[in-house]
Amino acid sequence: MTHDYPSAPVQAGHSEPVPRRVRAVLGGRTVFDTTNARYVWEWPFYPQYYIPLADIDAALLVDEDREQHLRHGVARRHGLPGKPGAAHVFSDGLVKFDWDALDSWFEEDEEIFVHPRNPYTRVDALRSTRTVRVELDGVVLAESSSPVMVFETGLPTRYYLNRTEVDFAHLVPSSTETACPYKGRTTGYWSVRTGSGVHPDLAWCYDFPTRQLLPIAGMVAFYNEKVDIFVDGVELERPATHFS
């Protein structure tokens, strides 16, 4: 399928050294602290961290005596306190941790979320005066001539609109919360109600984004994959992504 934005630049199986110090914490205790991690792309969109066994607190790893054949190779499954199956130790001395099994991850001294930041991904938030209109089932949900456009490698452009330009009469607050390694944690999510029913979790905002994405603070975006977006009067084709 063709699309109007850059594809992910690497393929699954690619690996590179990580130039950043990487740490993770569980229950207030540092599980590992390394400057020798590796990026391993298990799929093209972003990498995982693989950590040298020598840089892990060995007292926390519990060998579960179970061998598994994974994409990176043969591994023995290990647990952490209260977290069975949290890690896989490969025969080359690298260890992959289940991201959600650890309380916090850090690159240098900044907490990161969801997965490592892809060194080949660029995320830019640019102000624009192009007119953006968002519709669903023929209902206008938002319209703005002062959007902030977020360009992220491997994803369609996201259009962030001022709250005053969003018709909240059609939005239903949701308890959903998501996180992004580039933007931070969402502070609001909304479903959309139209004549055909309620469409879950189509819009979101970041009131306190990372400093790199400060222009989107407090603004609202919609999934291009699930609504109809018009830019300068031209309807965009709905993209097909893993968010579709």
Side-chain angles (χ1 to χ4, degrees), residues 67 77 95 108 142 169 188 222:
E67 191 172 270
R77 202 173 89 162
V95 181
E108 297 298 336
F222 294 81

Coordinates of all heavy atoms in Angstrom, one line a residue, residues 67 77 95 108 142 169 188 222:
E67 N 13.3 -23.1 28.3 CA 14.0 -22.6 27.1 C 12.9 -22.3 26.0 O 12.0 -23.0 25.8 CB 14.9 -23.6 26.6 CG 15.9 -23.1 25.5 CD 17.0 -24.1 25.2 OE1 18.0 -24.1 25.9 OE2 16.8 -25.0 24.3
R77 N 13.9 -18.4 29.9 CA 13.0 -17.5 30.5 C 13.3 -17.3 32.0 O 13.6 -18.2 32.7 CB 11.5 -18.0 30.4 CG 10.5 -16.9 30.6 CD 9.1 -17.3 30.3 NE 8.5 -17.8 31.5 CZ 7.2 -18.0 31.7 NH1 6.4 -17.8 30.7 NH2 6.7 -18.5 32.8
V95 N 19.8 -9.6 27.3 CA 18.6 -9.9 28.0 C 17.5 -8.9 27.5 O 17.7 -7.7 27.5 CB 18.8 -9.8 29.5 CG1 17.5 -10.1 30.2 CG2 19.9 -10.7 30.0
E108 N 19.3 8.2 30.1 CA 20.0 9.2 30.9 C 19.1 9.4 32.1 O 18.8 8.5 32.8 CB 20.3 10.4 30.1 CG 21.3 10.2 28.9 CD 22.6 9.6 29.3 OE1 23.1 9.9 30.4 OE2 23.3 9.0 28.5
A142 N -14.7 19.2 14.4 CA -13.8 20.3 14.6 C -13.4 21.0 13.3 O -13.4 20.3 12.3 CB -12.5 19.8 15.3
A169 N -19.9 18.9 22.0 CA -21.2 18.4 22.1 C -21.3 17.0 21.6 O -22.2 16.2 21.9 CB -22.2 19.3 21.3
G188 N -6.3 13.3 28.4 CA -7.7 13.3 28.1 C -7.9 12.4 26.9 O -7.1 12.3 25.9
F222 N -7.4 13.8 16.4 CA -8.3 12.7 16.1 C -7.5 11.7 15.3 O -6.6 12.0 14.5 CB -9.5 13.2 15.3 CG -10.4 14.1 16.0 CD1 -10.1 15.4 16.1 CD2 -11.6 13.6 16.6 CE1 -11.0 16.3 16.8 CE2 -12.5 14.4 17.2 CZ -12.2 15.8 17.4

